[in-house]
Amino acid sequence: MAPSGSLRIPAAVLLLLLWGAPWTHGRRSDVRIITDKNWRELLEGEWMIEFYAPWCPACQNLQPEWESFAEWGEDLEVNVAKVDVTEQPGLSGRFIITALPTIYHCKDGEFRRYQGPRTKKDFINFISDKEWKSMEPVSSWFGPDSILMSSMSTLFQLSMWIRTCHNYFIEDLGLPIWGSYTVFALATLLLGLLLGLFMIFVADCLCPSKRRRPQPYPSRKLLPESSQPLKKVEEEQEADVEDVSEEESESKEGTNKDFAQNAIRQRSVGPSLATDKS
């Protein structure tokens, strides 16, 4: 009986080890995944966020340290997260990621770029000693929730969508590269035309152009006061016409008188010449 009992103890231990092995090996990670849908959770509480790419060797070397640091997250009251920039291009544009891996610290919506050593101990000291207080936070103009960075995120997402469409045209539809470029060029021209027409329509609605209408001739009965300058002008014109007519009549009378005097002289000169001849 003793040998059978001694065999049962190692068997029970072996079963426990086999039962607990999968759970130990496949332990759930304490690192949270941040995407375009839930990134606004970073604006509340304290966070440490790593931006990485699966193909990056430096990021691969950092992963064990980051996972170990995440195990202390509950004790330090800090959330440890990571962002895959290959899957979330919008967030890489929103945070202006120019190098990998990049680590940010966030406290109640204030973001600071971590520049210290990248070991588990250094991460823990950075949070426990509140070393982040000595760092200057990112300006509100360049914060991830600002209008500027939201526009940058949209541009990054648009570029990724264009790249996806380009690959679809070449790989799935079998178009040549120049054919794909032609499609994008025509789409750009059409979009620019529509955008220009829309801007003209908006400008015309906000600042309509003033069209000059022909002014009607003011009547003397309806507008006696405003027609006074016109009356003066008409009277002056009539006076000028009368003066011109008087001058013309006087000049005509003067020419007639001269003509009559010349005729009388010719008549008086004629008989005198006749008497001289005789």
Side-chain angles (χ1 to χ4, degrees):
M1 298 295 294
S4 62
S6 61
L7 291 175
R8 290 178 183 177
I9 295 175
V13 173
L14 181 61
L15 289 175
L16 290 174
L17 291 175
L18 293 175
W19 180 262
W23 293 96
T24 305
H25 180 72
R27 184 179 179 277
R28 181 176 176 272
S29 175
D30 294 321
V31 179
R32 300 183 61 177
I33 305 299
I34 301 298
T35 63
D36 285 317
K37 296 181 180 179
N38 64 350
W39 76 268
R40 289 193 174 273
E41 296 180 4
L42 302 176
L43 302 178
E44 298 179 358
E46 188 172 8
W47 292 78
M48 288 286 284
I49 314 104
E50 175 204 5
F51 292 83
Y52 74 101
W55 49 264
C56 174
C59 300
Q60 296 173 1
N61 295 332
L62 179 61
Q63 290 308 309
E65 298 289 337
W66 197 251
E67 293 287 343
S68 300
F69 169 60
E71 296 176 0
W72 287 75
E74 186 176 355
D75 297 332
L76 297 173
E77 296 182 353
V78 62
N79 299 300
V80 181
K82 62 181 180 180
V83 178
D84 186 355
V85 295
T86 61
E87 297 291 337
Q88 309 297 329
L91 291 180
S92 64
R94 190 180 293 275
F95 286 86
I96 316 180
I97 304 303
T98 57
L100 294 174
T102 297
I103 299 174
Y104 271 95
H105 172 268
C106 178
K107 176 68 174 179
D108 296 331
E110 289 187 349
F111 290 84
R112 295 172 174 85
R113 188 188 289 265
Y114 178 80
Q115 301 289 351
R118 299 176 179 182
T119 63
K120 170 187 173 182
K121 181 179 179 181
D122 293 315
F123 294 146
I124 294 175
N125 293 335
F126 181 79
I127 298 299
S128 61
D129 298 340
K130 297 184 179 181
E131 297 177 1
W132 49 269
K133 288 186 176 181
S134 60
M135 301 172 59
E136 188 70 20
V138 177
S139 174
S140 59
W141 289 97
F142 297 98
D145 57 338
S146 64
I147 298 176
L148 180 61
M149 292 297 100
S150 298
S151 303
M152 188 69 67
S153 174
T154 304
L155 290 177
F156 272 66
Q157 290 177 348
L158 179 62
S159 64
M160 184 58 66
W161 179 79
I162 292 175
R163 181 180 179 182
T164 302
C165 292
H166 177 70
N167 294 333
Y168 173 75
F169 291 153
I170 295 176
E171 297 175 0
D172 297 342
L173 299 182
L175 292 178
I177 297 178
W178 63 266
S180 177
Y181 289 161
T182 303
V183 172
F184 284 113
L186 294 175
T188 303
L189 292 175
L190 180 61
L191 183 61
L193 177 62
L194 295 177
L195 183 60
L197 293 176
F198 176 75
M199 293 179 65
I200 293 174
F201 174 76
V202 172
D204 194 21
C205 292
L206 297 177
C207 303
S209 59
K210 296 181 180 180
R211 298 179 180 177
R212 295 182 178 180
R213 298 180 179 180
Q215 297 180 355
Y217 185 79
S219 61
R220 295 180 180 180
K221 295 181 179 180
L222 298 177
L223 301 172
E225 296 180 357
S226 61
S227 61
Q228 288 180 0
L230 295 175
K231 288 181 179 180
K232 292 181 181 180
V233 174
E234 292 177 355
E235 291 176 357
E236 291 177 357
Q237 291 178 353
E238 292 177 357
D240 294 339
V241 172
E242 290 178 356
D243 293 339
V244 171
S245 61
E246 289 178 358
E247 291 176 358
E248 289 178 354
S249 61
E250 290 177 357
S251 62
K252 288 181 180 179
E253 290 177 358
T255 52
N256 291 332
K257 289 180 180 181
D258 294 337
F259 180 75
Q261 290 177 359
N262 292 330
I264 293 171
R265 289 176 182 176
Q266 289 177 359
R267 289 177 183 176
S268 60
V269 171
S272 65
L273 289 174
T275 53
D276 293 337
K277 289 179 181 180
S278 61

